[in-house]
Amino acid sequence: GAVVRIELAAGQPVTPDRVVHPGERGFLAAVLEPGYRAVSVPVNATTGIAGFIFPGDWVDVLLTMRVKSDDEDGNAETRYFSQTMHADIRVLAIDQSVENVDGKPSPAKTATLQVTPKQAEQVAIALTMGDLSLSLRSLARDDQRSAPGKPKQRSYTLDMDVYHMLGDPRLFGKSKGKGPQVFVLRGDKAEKAKF
């Protein structure tokens, strides 16, 4: 399980000062690929796939946000949406231990991910905007996958895509708006455009 601190040439002896073991200082920097950064995101039993994410796994990072907007009557309403922010992200470390002192499993609270410098900035902003969760990818790697970190196409889901009772007058009253409508999202604000 050890990783070399510096590249070794053929025939060089492998001594303890040239390798680093898991849990020792410098291990994370040694397993991090050149040009990448390590960022940590908070997880729990739900956002961390119930403890089934381990170092070496690949995940997608999802952002879920609340957006405040006004409905067609001018009343404030809260809307929700979720999007795949980054795809094919390598998990470097997870702070979960199978057994603690009491003999009970200790669920993870933090996952450390390998990202590009730009993705590190995006994760930092996303942590203040909403909640992040991880979606575990299959070990059977897809040869046609996109470049690490970039979804093949932008993907998001609005709250209206999850529930189908929108427009039912028993729940929402009769809609005064006639004709097609479009929701316009700008940063953290949403507007409804009517045609």
Side-chain angles (χ1 to χ4, degrees):
V3 178
V4 293
R5 292 183 190 271
I6 56 171
E7 189 174 338
L8 296 175
Q12 276 187 308
V14 179
T15 58
D17 61 331
R18 293 187 175 175
V19 296
V20 59
H21 295 274
E24 293 180 351
R25 282 176 64 181
F27 179 78
L28 190 58
V31 298
L32 193 61
E33 292 180 21
Y36 283 85
R37 304 293 184 266
V39 295
S40 293
V41 296
V43 294
N44 56 35
T46 305
T47 61
I49 320 295
F52 287 102
I53 292 180
F54 296 98
D57 285 340
W58 294 80
V59 296
D60 290 349
V61 181
L62 282 69
L63 168 65
T64 303
M65 287 182 53
R66 249 187 313 269
V67 178
K68 296 192 178 184
S69 65
D70 293 334
D71 64 12
E72 46 192 51
D73 295 328
N75 299 322
E77 66 178 353
T78 301
R79 305 300 308 274
Y80 298 87
F81 79 90
S82 183
Q83 72 175 30
T84 300
M85 197 171 85
H86 298 301
D88 243 6
I89 299 294
R90 179 177 165 225
V91 178
L92 294 173
I94 196 104
D95 72 342
Q96 173 173 310
S97 55
V98 177
E99 279 192 14
N100 62 15
V101 179
D102 303 332
K104 297 178 182 175
S106 174
K109 294 188 176 109
T110 307
T112 303
L113 310 175
Q114 175 177 278
V115 295
T116 65
K118 188 65 174 175
Q119 290 169 341
E121 294 170 358
Q122 293 167 347
V123 167
I125 291 174
L127 285 169
T128 64
M129 293 172 60
D131 299 318
L132 293 181
S133 55
L134 306 178
S135 175
L136 184 62
R137 297 180 71 94
S138 171
L139 281 177
R141 309 295 286 151
D142 180 8
D143 292 337
Q144 302 299 320
R145 72 183 191 273
S146 58
K150 293 187 178 180
K152 288 183 181 177
Q153 53 183 289
R154 293 198 177 264
S155 171
Y156 66 90
T157 301
L158 295 173
D159 52 8
M160 291 186 304
D161 299 328
V162 175
Y163 64 86
H164 301 286
M165 62 268 200
L166 186 68
D168 189 327
R170 296 173 296 175
L171 294 172
F172 298 98
K174 292 190 177 179
S175 176
K176 296 178 182 176
K178 298 195 183 213
Q181 301 175 354
V182 173
F183 287 94
V184 179
L185 300 175
R186 287 190 185 99
D188 64 344
K189 296 184 181 173
E191 298 173 0
K192 192 182 292 184
K194 299 179 191 176
F195 299 94

